[in-house]
Structures are given as structure tokens and as C-alpha cells.
């Protein structure tokens, strides 16, 4: 049995007919072709599938389509304007915080959620916000510096 | 692939109770347990074909003080518990346990009742809730019943909830102002670790006399459990009369009696006894 969903996706009102038991991750990747959101572990441990749901970072592999009617969803494709990179994206590149890149969309969404909540985060705040995002490549140092640097720059604007 | 499912998202509690009484449905809130369970086709969830999402019901999300009790809505997320002043000021051990659960993403979704509704031994909210003498409210279309959490938790993965009931509130007496305590958690790694050993201790000291003492274990016993007999040996004593080493040893032995010897016992029991020893010492010294 299919249901009709209406919600906001990256700032636009969208509607779709789908199965309520489909994972939000699959809805985004397969139905909306937003493949920036990645699937790593599928069980809520790696953070590659992180998106913003009503301004909070959540794992899209742990949410069912039937749960999101009326909500506001932002994916990695929705954080920047037109062809300009978001400060976080720019800083991740500058700091060498992207290697294979698989964790990057999730990392950036978690960092984005943090900066919405705390524009001037402490080192501890950053660790806390990124604790659910695993990276096999970078060793995290570059990622943390990229977030610190982004916070600094975004507060100046 | 997740099997065919029906999912309702009612906006009132009455509607939830009506659905529960008329069809075989399960409640979903954060979904952090159920959704991956569906995805890996876990036998625990394979018979579920109808779900009720309770995230739109505001009263199940509230945390408030009513008279001399703190009421926590069953669908309050761990993030909302961590951010709640009511919790951090009056129930600090619960705030501490909540802040260490999963990751930020998990805390933003996972709910307090969801943590223990299946009575999995690793539920981190259980030891603090047990030392705070929490009770729970179960509601069905016809009835409301309020029972102590300790009674609700029957055995591993088994509780007293009936298929037509929803757990609506966790109710805790607001009287721990003059207590201090701690929540201990040992997991296998930082972050998303599932707990291996957890416990909570709560102490009230008045003029060097222990006037109240509560101890509850979590992940190390098959279900969360208070140690009333051992607690009684301490209550009423002067701080310098208490044999902390003996108490920690007794707690370890009691746990061994419950669990029996397992592959991890030689590691876990000494670690537990040491951690209990240090915790009680610290609390008795007034810290
Ligand atoms: S794919 Fe969702 S947390 Fe790993
Ligand atoms: S850059 Fe490869 S996993 Fe993080």
C-alpha cells in the first residue's frame, strides 16, 4: 500500500507517492536521485547517511518514509547556493579533510547542524557533533580544523 | 529490502489507543532499533506489519514538573533530555547517561521509552531510572495503570506491557536535591559503543551518616536491577564504618550469582568491583 507524502526538501515543497516502509535514505537516493547522501553501515553507526531533519542531524538509514510527512529535510545538495560552495565545503577542501570522500557529505551535514546550534563551538562541541561520523582515511584532524576554520569565517560574515 | 508495512501517524493519544485496541500494531518513535532490525530482516521484528509513529503527539514529548514529580514523555528524545534544565538540575545521573548514548544523530531520534521498552540488557537509561525509583504509566483505551519500572522489567526482552497499551510517561519523584551520585559506563569504544558494564549509585550524606544509598546495575546483569539487600547494609552507617571493599566484593558476587560464569566473567567482574569501589569511595568522601 502506497501513501502520499508532502515535505520540504532542500527548501522546495515536494510530494511523492511511496511505500511507508521505505527508508528515507532510499527515498532520497533512489526516488529523488540525491546520491550525495551515502549508505555505509545501514545500522546507524557510520554517519555517512546523515541529513538534517527539522534542523537536527539524523541518520537517514534509521528513518522510514512514512515518518517524515510535513517535515523539513536538507541534504548535502541543499546547503550551498547555486554554484558556490558552502564555507564548510570550501574549508574541507582547503584543509585536506576530503580523501576518498565517502564520509564527507555526512561529516559536513553534522558540522552544519552544529554551527546552526552553536556558531562558536568549542573543540569538545566539535568532537561531540562528529562522534557519529566515521572516517577511514583522514584521521579526523583535518576535519576538525576545517570545522574550526569554517566557524571562524562564518562568524565574520 | 524492508517488507510491506502499514504506518499511521496520528496526532492524538486517543487515536493511538484506538488503533492499538483494534489491530495488531507496534509503536515506532525514534526507529533507531526497529528500522535497522527491519533492514537486516531480524526475527525480532519480522512479524510486524503495522506501525504507529508517535512523534506528532506533543504530550508524549514533554518534560515537566507536576507537584513533586518529574514527568518525562515516553517519546522525549535523548537530545531533549540532555538539553532539559529540569533533568540536569534534578536528575543529573539521567542527564549523564543520556549524553553518552549513541551519537548525536542517534540522540536526536532515539527516545527514552524506546531505550528500555524491549528490556534489552544494554539500555543505558535503566540504572539511573532505577536508582531514582522511576515509575511508568501504561495506557490503553479502557485503562491507565502506573507501576514501578523495576516491576515492569520482567526478564531479558520481556516486560509487563500488553499489546493494547502504550507507555506514555516516566514519572520520577522530585526529591533528589540533597543526593549525589554517579553513572558509570564502560563500552568497547567511544561513541556508538553498546555498553558492556553500566551502573548508577546515589547517596545522601548527612553529618557523616549515610541516610540513603541506592545502587543499580545495567548492562552487566541480564536485566537492570537494584541491590536492596546490599543497600540496607550501608544505610544508617557512619561513613568511616562502611567497608567499601566488602560492599564492592558483595556486589560482584551477587552479579556472578545472577549471571553465572561466562566467557567474559574473568574480565568483567574484577573491572566492575574496582569501578564500584572507586565510585563508592568517591561519593562517601563527599565528592
Ligand atoms: S548508513 Fe546510516 S549510519 Fe551508516
Ligand atoms: S575521507 Fe575517506 S572515509 Fe573519510
Amino acid at each position: 500500500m502506497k501513501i502520499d507524502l508532502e515535505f520540504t526538501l532542500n527548501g522546495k515543497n515536494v510530494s511523492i507517492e511511496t511505500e511507508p516502509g521505505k527508508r528515507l535514505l532510499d527515498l532520497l537516493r533512489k526516488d529523488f536521485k540525491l546520491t550525495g547522501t551515502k549508505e555505509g553501515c545501514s545500522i546507524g553507526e557510520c554517519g555517512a547517511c546523515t541529513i538534517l531533519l527539522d534542523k537536527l542531524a539524523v541518520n537517514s538509514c534509521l528513518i522510514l518514509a512514512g515518518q517524515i510527512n510535513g517535515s523539513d529535510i536538507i541534504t548535502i545538495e541543499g546547503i550551498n547556493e547555486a554554484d558556490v560552495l558552502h564555507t564548510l565545503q570550501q574549508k574541507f577542501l582547503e584543509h585536506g579533510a576530503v580523501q576518498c570522500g565517502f564520509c564527507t557529505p555526512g561529516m559536513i551535514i553534522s558540522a552544519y547542524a552544529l554551527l546552526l546550534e552553536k556558531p562558536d563551538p568549542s573543540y569538545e562541541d566539535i568532537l561531540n557533533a562528529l562522534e557519529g561520523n566515521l572516517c577511514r582515511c583522514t584521521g579526523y584532524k583535518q576535519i576538525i580544523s576545517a570545522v574550526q576554520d569554517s566557524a571562524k569565517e562564518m562568524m565574520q560574515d | 529490502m524492508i517488507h510491506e508495512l502499514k504506518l499511521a501517524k496520528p496526532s492524538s493519544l486517543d487515536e493511538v489507543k484506538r488503533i492499538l485496541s483494534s489491530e495488531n500494531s507496534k509503536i515506532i518513535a525514534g526507529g533507531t532499533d526497529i528500522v535497522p532490525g527491519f533492514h537486516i530482516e531480524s526475527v525480532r521484528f519480522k512479524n510486524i506489519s503495522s506501525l504507529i509513529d508517535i512523534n506528532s503527539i506533543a504530550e508524549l514529548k514533554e518534560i515537566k514538573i507536576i507537584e513533586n514529580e518529574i514527568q518525562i514523555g515516553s517519546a522525549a528524545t535523548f537530545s531533549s533530555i540532555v538539553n532539559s534544565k529540569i533533568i540536569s538540575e534534578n536528575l543529573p545521573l539521567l542527564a549523564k547517561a543520556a549524553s553518552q548514548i549513541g551519537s548525536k544523530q542517534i540522540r536526536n531520534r532515539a527516545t527514552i521509552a524506546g531505550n528500555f521498552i524491549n528490556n534489552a540488557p544494554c539500555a543505558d537509561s535503566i540504572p539511573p531510572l532505577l536508582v531514582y525509583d522511576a515509575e511508568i504509566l501504561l495506557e490503553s483505551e479502557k485503562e491507565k495503570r502506573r507501576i514501578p519500572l523495576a516491576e515492569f522489567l520482567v526478564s531479558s526482552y520481556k516486560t509487563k506491557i500488553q499489546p493494547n497499551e502504550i507507555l506514555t510517561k516516566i514519572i520520577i519523584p522530585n526529591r533528589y536535591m540533597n543526593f549525589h551520585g554517579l553513572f558509570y559506563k564502560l563500552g568497547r569504544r567511544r561513541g556508538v559503543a553498546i555498553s558492556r558494564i553500566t551502573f548508577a549509585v546515589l547517596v545522601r550524606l548527612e553529618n557523616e551518616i549515610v541516610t540513603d544509598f541506592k545502587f543499580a546495575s545495567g548492562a552487566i546483569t541480564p536485566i537492570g536491577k537494584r541491590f536492596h539487600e546490599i543497600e540496607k547494609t550501608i544505610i544508617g552507617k557512619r561513613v568511616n564504618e562502611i567497608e567499601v571493599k566488602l560492599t564492592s566484593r558483595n556486589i560482584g558476587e551477587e552479579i556472578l550469582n545472577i549471571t553465572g560464569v561466562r566467557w567474559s566473567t574473568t574480565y568483567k567482574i574484577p573491572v566492575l568491583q574496582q569501578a564500584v569501589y572507586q565510585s563508592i569511595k568517591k561519593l562517601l568522601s563527599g565528592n
Side-chain angles (χ1 to χ4, degrees):
Chain A
M1 196 187 64
K2 293 201 171 189
I3 51 161
D4 287 313
L5 289 180
E6 268 177 59
F7 59 102
T8 311
L9 179 57
N10 294 331
K12 291 194 198 79
N13 294 327
V14 295
S15 59
I16 190 164
E17 194 191 24
T18 190
E19 300 82 36
K22 184 182 281 185
R23 297 179 307 168
L24 176 56
L25 173 64
D26 299 320
L27 188 78
L28 294 172
R29 287 182 55 89
K30 300 201 178 117
D31 297 85
F32 288 97
K33 309 277 184 254
L34 295 171
T35 51
T37 304
K38 303 298 179 203
E39 175 159 18
C41 66
S42 325
I43 54 168
E45 295 208 352
C46 74
C49 67
T50 305
I51 56 130
L52 280 192
L53 174 68
D54 298 329
K55 303 218 158 58
L56 298 175
V58 297
N59 299 313
S60 61
C61 70
L62 301 183
I63 296 173
L64 297 176
Q67 298 185 277
I68 58 142
N69 205 20
S71 52
D72 177 23
I73 289 175
I74 296 175
T75 67
I76 187 69
E77 289 89 350
I79 64 163
N80 60 325
E81 276 163 50
D83 291 333
V84 209
L85 288 179
H86 185 273
T87 312
L88 277 162
Q89 293 170 314
Q90 188 60 45
K91 293 294 173 193
F92 265 60
L93 289 175
E94 282 171 24
H95 285 262
V98 183
Q99 287 187 23
C100 81
F102 198 80
C103 70
T104 314
M107 284 285 179
I108 290 185
I109 291 290
S110 286
Y112 185 90
L114 168 69
L115 299 183
L116 278 181
E117 195 189 324
K118 290 187 182 162
D120 188 15
S122 68
Y123 182 75
E124 265 300 309
D125 291 334
I126 297 176
L127 289 190
N128 245 320
L130 300 183
E131 142 192 279
N133 294 82
L134 304 183
C135 175
R136 301 295 306 267
C137 308
T138 63
Y140 302 99
K141 235 183 131 219
Q142 301 89 323
I143 293 175
I144 294 164
S145 319
V147 177
Q148 287 172 321
D149 203 6
S150 303
K152 224 188 275 161
E153 183 156 323
M154 285 162 69
M155 287 211 306
Q156 279 163 10
D157 305 336
Chain B
M1 251 310 267
I2 293 180
H3 59 269
E4 182 84 27
L5 280 173
K6 232 173 88 185
L7 199 154
K9 202 168 188 253
S11 51
S12 81
L13 186 54
D14 286 339
E15 178 70 9
V16 177
K17 294 190 220 171
R18 200 192 52 72
I19 305 174
L20 282 174
S21 71
S22 60
E23 54 188 284
N24 188 4
S25 263
K26 275 265 181 235
I27 289 179
I28 183 170
T32 56
D33 189 27
I34 301 182
V35 179
F38 280 153
H39 186 70
I40 62 167
E41 294 170 2
S42 155
V43 290
R44 278 206 294 147
F45 303 116
K46 81 169 195 298
N47 294 324
I48 300 175
S49 59
S50 165
L51 291 171
I52 310 169
D53 179 291
I54 55 168
N55 287 303
S56 311
I57 302 167
E59 63 184 295
L60 297 181
K61 299 245 156 210
E62 284 170 358
I63 300 172
K64 55 191 178 192
I65 298 183
I66 303 236
E67 288 166 16
N68 44 12
E69 293 178 330
I70 296 168
Q71 301 196 345
I72 306 173
S74 54
T77 65
F78 283 112
S79 288
S80 70
I81 287 173
V82 171
N83 294 333
S84 157
K85 263 189 94 168
I86 294 179
I87 304 290
S88 59
E89 283 172 5
N90 302 297
L91 306 170
L93 305 190
L94 183 60
K96 182 75 191 272
S99 74
Q100 294 183 10
I101 281 171
S103 60
K104 184 81 180 182
Q105 291 96 314
I106 299 282
R107 289 191 294 277
N108 282 341
R109 286 295 285 177
T111 63
I112 177 137
N115 188 238
F116 65 78
I117 197 84
N118 294 318
N119 204 7
C122 50
D124 285 358
S125 61
I126 286 291
L129 290 175
L130 287 178
V131 293
Y132 287 134
D133 290 313
E135 302 198 324
I136 53 152
L137 191 64
L138 295 165
E139 296 186 40
S140 67
E141 215 173 15
K142 300 213 169 57
E143 200 187 17
K144 275 191 194 186
R145 53 187 187 123
R146 183 169 157 169
I147 57 174
L149 175 64
E151 210 174 284
F152 174 74
L153 306 170
V154 178
S155 59
S156 265
Y157 297 102
K158 214 175 154 233
T159 69
K160 286 236 166 101
I161 198 162
Q162 296 297 318
N164 64 342
E165 285 178 319
I166 171 171
L167 197 164
T168 52
K169 277 174 193 158
I170 292 126
I171 303 166
I172 301 173
N174 190 15
R175 58 178 191 88
Y176 298 110
M177 265 319 193
N178 301 315
F179 284 70
H180 54 284
L182 59 79
F183 170 72
Y184 176 90
K185 167 170 174 168
L186 178 80
R188 277 214 285 225
R189 58 186 160 79
R190 202 183 130 85
V192 202
I194 303 291
S195 304
R196 303 283 143 170
I197 298 179
T198 49
F199 61 81
V201 200
L202 198 59
V203 176
R204 187 176 56 204
L205 280 179
E206 284 166 298
N207 305 320
E208 292 292 297
I209 294 174
V210 179
T211 53
D212 209 346
F213 181 86
K214 297 155 188 275
F215 182 94
S217 65
I220 190 150
T221 39
I223 65 169
K225 194 183 143 30
R226 279 280 291 279
F227 288 67
H228 295 288
E229 290 308 312
I230 296 175
E231 293 173 3
K232 277 188 220 148
T233 65
I234 292 186
I235 297 169
K237 286 215 174 114
R238 294 194 76 79
V239 168
N240 54 16
E241 289 167 4
I242 294 170
E243 296 183 68
V244 181
K245 219 180 218 158
L246 185 68
T247 307
S248 328
R249 209 182 307 143
N250 289 343
I251 288 174
E253 264 157 32
E254 173 130 9
I255 287 174
L256 201 55
N257 280 339
I258 301 167
T259 59
V261 177
R262 297 198 232 171
W263 63 270
S264 56
T265 305
T266 38
Y267 164 70
K268 272 189 188 172
I269 299 293
V271 171
L272 172 93
Q273 284 166 325
Q274 188 58 30
V276 170
Y277 175 80
Q278 280 168 0
S279 306
I280 298 179
K281 266 259 170 259
K282 181 163 174 247
L283 292 174
L284 292 184
S285 72
N287 289 314

